[in-house]
Amino acid sequence: MLDAVFFSGEADIKDKRLIRSFSYINGKWHQAASGEALLVSNPATGAHLGEVAALSADESRAAVDAAQKAFQTWSEILPQQRAAILRRWYELQLEHKEDLARIMVLEQGKPLSEARGEIGYGADFVEFYAEEAKRPNVEGVTSHLPDAEMELWREPVGVVALITPWNFPSAMLTRKAAAALAAGCTVVAHPSGETPFSALALAELAERAGFPPGVFNVVTGRPATVVEPWTTDSRVRALSFTGSTEVGKLLYRQSADTMKTLVMELGGHAPVIVFKNADLDKAVEETLKAKFATSGQDCLGANRIFVERPIYDAFCEKFIAATKRLTVGHGMEDPDIGPLMNATALAKQEAHVADALAKGATLACGGARHALGPLFYQPTVLTDVPEDALILHEETFGPVAAILPFDSEPEVTQRANDTEYGLVAYVHSTDPRQIHRMSRRLQFGMVAVNRTKVTGAPIPFGGTKQSGLGREGARQGMEAFTELKYVCRDWG
Ligand code: NAD
């Protein structure tokens, strides 16, 4: 296998060294000793994009060996030195933004401007944590013992394992890695086999930024083979995962015997609640974004759109008209909606639509595959979706919107909270008291009021219930990769 069998000229990647097929361990690029590789394809065309090395469990363990060895030095250098390397990594991501975005479009399928947006969003975390690395990590405690002085130290936890999904192949890695590296931890990372090239390009830039060997490692291959040696290795002191709730639970169980810190960013099932006093046009515009960004494949995606009955018909009319205007196409053409990631994702759209229609929902638009190719699905709106429809109970993860009416604030609060998920909820209202009540009563880690975009480096991102554990971003995202040490000194 060559280390760069990727891309035809179509992609116009200027810096070809960003295209890597081998795993990056201890500052070197590694093919699998077995020669095994995994195929990666372009979801828009089905074309074969390239191959990445499929490392064995022993080779994956070797990444932990390297990270463990590097930890001693990395955790003890001055935070300012770590910050300088992180800063350089950030700058390189911006310098290569266009290439990184195009690599992402080819393997993930998302529209080019969304891919550019993700590179900028992901790089923001690196910049943020480059600064955060320098903040104080010691706190005094008012002594309760005579002649004693007390301090709390935040110390890096050790080797950290990061497992990232295909829907945000770049930003989910930078969001986790920058926090861990800034804290003084070393990293072993495993990207989704469907979108490994974005992570490998980040590894190439990490090398250029000057991370010492072993500090940042990216291991490709079959997920169970690569990740299981990490969950069961007591040298791996924290594991941060973004992906499905199902795999999150599996990794949680696998990690139990080694008692790791766990950060889990799992599925969502976001409600959008539009009250009759809302700014209707704005609510439509924002809900369209909350539903169709990332072609609907977003953990923050609006899965249940509740609209108060007096404005229900008007909202539906405007939302359906706006959905019909959405363009569908190959990511490089920068449409509104690209392909889905794989055949399973497409089958889920078909199943949710068929189920809702069988139970009495109305199909307002879409509702079928798109002529562009086997992974394209038409932007779809279902109205009057009945309470027992699957789409109101499972994450759809695609471009199908489900709208239903409600009659009162207590009723909609109860229905919105009636889910095992708790990542984000959206509220549209112009009544300040109502906004306050809803912000308090919604059982979600994040509440967005009269807008959709709320995330970014300075805020702690994360969910409650089965949407996950812990937070990413902000100071809290870095603290997840530290242990608190209490020191008590006698000065009498
Ligand atoms: P997934 O759970 O299938 O895969 C996520 C990662 O886990 C990938 O790297 C994959 O290789 C790895 N993995 C899969 N099976 C594994 C196994 N048996 N052992 C170890 N690792 C394994 O999820 P996905 O389909 O890639 O991503 C979509 C899901 O991610 C959705 O549910 C979405 O809501 C969620 N998500 C959550 C957030 C968030 O921040 N809460 C962000 C993005 C995506």
Side-chain angles (χ1 to χ4, degrees):
M1 186 179 69
L2 296 171
D3 190 19
V5 285
F6 198 43
F7 303 100
S8 53
E10 129 187 59
D12 191 25
I13 305 296
K14 294 205 169 48
D15 186 341
K16 303 286 187 228
R17 296 310 293 165
L18 293 178
I19 301 161
R20 310 303 305 225
S21 294
F22 292 173
S23 291
Y24 183 66
I25 299 174
N26 206 19
K28 296 205 166 55
W29 297 93
H30 289 265
Q31 189 174 12
S34 64
E36 264 198 274
L38 299 180
L39 297 184
V40 183
S41 56
N42 179 334
T45 61
H48 174 199
L49 275 184
E51 298 174 3
V52 291
L55 266 59
S56 68
D58 280 344
E59 288 166 321
S60 178
R61 221 168 272 119
V64 181
D65 298 342
Q68 175 72 7
K69 192 156 168 260
F71 176 69
Q72 182 80 34
T73 315
W74 183 250
S75 59
E76 289 188 357
I77 62 172
L78 284 176
Q80 284 77 0
Q81 289 172 279
R82 290 199 290 268
I85 298 173
L86 278 162
R87 178 88 203 169
R88 184 69 195 124
W89 196 30
Y90 158 73
E91 288 163 354
L92 286 166
Q93 287 169 36
L94 293 191
E95 277 168 34
H96 294 277
K97 186 172 180 175
E98 192 59 24
D99 277 354
L100 294 173
R102 284 170 180 270
I103 290 172
M104 192 189 305
V105 171
L106 284 164
E107 63 179 356
Q108 207 281 340
K110 67 176 65 180
L112 186 56
S113 28
E114 286 191 3
R116 289 177 183 139
E118 181 180 337
I119 299 302
Y121 171 75
D124 278 351
F125 288 90
V126 185
E127 187 204 29
F128 181 87
Y129 285 117
E131 295 301 313
E132 205 61 27
K134 297 180 257 178
R135 305 276 174 255
N137 57 4
V138 180
E139 204 182 303
V141 177
T142 307
S143 177
H144 64 292
L145 300 175
D147 298 336
E149 61 180 13
M150 298 165 178
E151 279 174 358
L152 300 181
W153 297 352
R154 285 256 164 218
E155 296 188 327
V157 68
V159 177
V160 170
L162 311 178
I163 295 109
T164 53
W166 49 259
N167 61 344
F168 290 95
S170 194
M172 294 303 97
L173 182 55
T174 55
R175 184 162 87 178
K176 294 176 191 298
L181 294 165
C185 298
T186 52
V187 162
V188 291
H190 170 66
S192 165
E194 273 157 324
T195 55
F197 290 110
S198 293
L200 293 171
L202 287 172
E204 166 68 22
L205 294 181
E207 181 170 77
R208 294 183 199 176
F211 287 100
V215 169
F216 180 69
N217 306 278
V218 176
V219 183
T220 52
R222 291 184 183 80
T225 308
V226 169
V227 174
E228 207 254 341
W230 298 350
T231 54
T232 53
D233 191 327
S234 56
R235 296 172 302 168
V236 175
R237 295 310 315 139
L239 181 140
S240 176
F241 170 77
T242 296
S244 60
T245 299
E246 185 193 353
V247 174
K249 287 180 183 178
L250 174 80
L251 301 184
Y252 198 144
R253 283 193 290 272
Q254 281 180 11
S255 300
D257 282 343
T258 52
M259 203 57 79
K260 301 181 196 318
T261 298
L262 294 175
V263 178
M264 297 267 161
E265 298 292 353
L266 308 176
H269 188 45
V272 176
I273 302 170
V274 185
F275 286 101
K276 62 183 181 215
N277 58 46
D279 175 336
L280 188 60
D281 287 331
K282 189 170 180 211
V284 167
E285 190 189 324
E286 292 297 318
T287 305
L288 207 68
K289 286 188 227 159
K291 177 65 248 180
F292 294 108
T294 329
S295 311
Q297 303 173 109
D298 194 324
C299 53
L300 303 180
N303 233 62
R304 303 171 287 155
I305 305 169
F306 298 99
V307 183
E308 201 162 9
R309 206 172 296 272
I311 57 157
Y312 182 74
D313 288 342
F315 179 93
C316 289
E317 193 184 316
K318 284 173 184 270
F319 190 84
I320 293 160
T323 303
K324 286 181 177 165
R325 288 194 293 272
L326 294 174
T327 54
V328 179
H330 290 205
M332 288 299 177
E333 296 158 2
D334 207 17
D336 296 311
I337 310 252
L340 293 166
M341 190 69 241
N342 51 43
T344 313
L346 191 116
K348 194 161 193 190
Q349 310 314 302
E350 291 183 322
H352 276 190
V353 170
D355 170 80
L357 295 180
K359 288 173 178 158
T362 303
L363 181 65
C365 64
R369 291 175 183 219
H370 194 282
L372 266 177
L375 295 183
F376 287 90
Y377 197 81
Q378 296 173 0
T380 297
V381 180
L382 299 166
T383 56
D384 299 335
V385 179
E387 200 61 51
D388 61 342
L390 269 182
I391 195 166
L392 298 186
H393 301 279
E394 288 179 2
E395 205 181 14
T396 306
F397 233 57
V400 179
I403 315 183
L404 57 164
F406 71 90
D407 292 301
S408 76
E409 188 184 307
E411 171 215 330
V412 79
T413 307
Q414 186 274 325
R415 287 167 76 187
N417 285 337
D418 186 18
T419 169
E420 285 308 323
Y421 292 106
L423 190 57
V424 68
Y426 304 93
V427 177
H428 291 274
S429 170
T430 50
D431 174 351
R433 285 168 193 261
Q434 183 170 58
I435 290 171
H436 186 74
R437 282 192 303 273
M438 293 305 292
S439 306
R440 285 243 177 236
R441 290 177 183 158
L442 285 167
Q443 297 160 356
F444 292 79
M446 298 176 284
V447 177
V449 180
N450 294 329
R451 57 177 300 130
T452 298
K453 182 168 168 39
V454 290
T455 65
I459 67 104
F461 183 106
T464 60
K465 301 197 249 179
Q466 295 195 23
S467 286
L469 293 174
R471 295 292 181 269
E472 291 186 351
R475 179 77 195 161
Q476 291 83 353
M478 192 165 136
E479 284 178 357
F481 299 118
T482 63
E483 291 279 16
L484 203 55
K485 182 182 277 177
Y486 162 54
V487 179
C488 179
R489 288 186 294 263
D490 193 337
W491 56 265

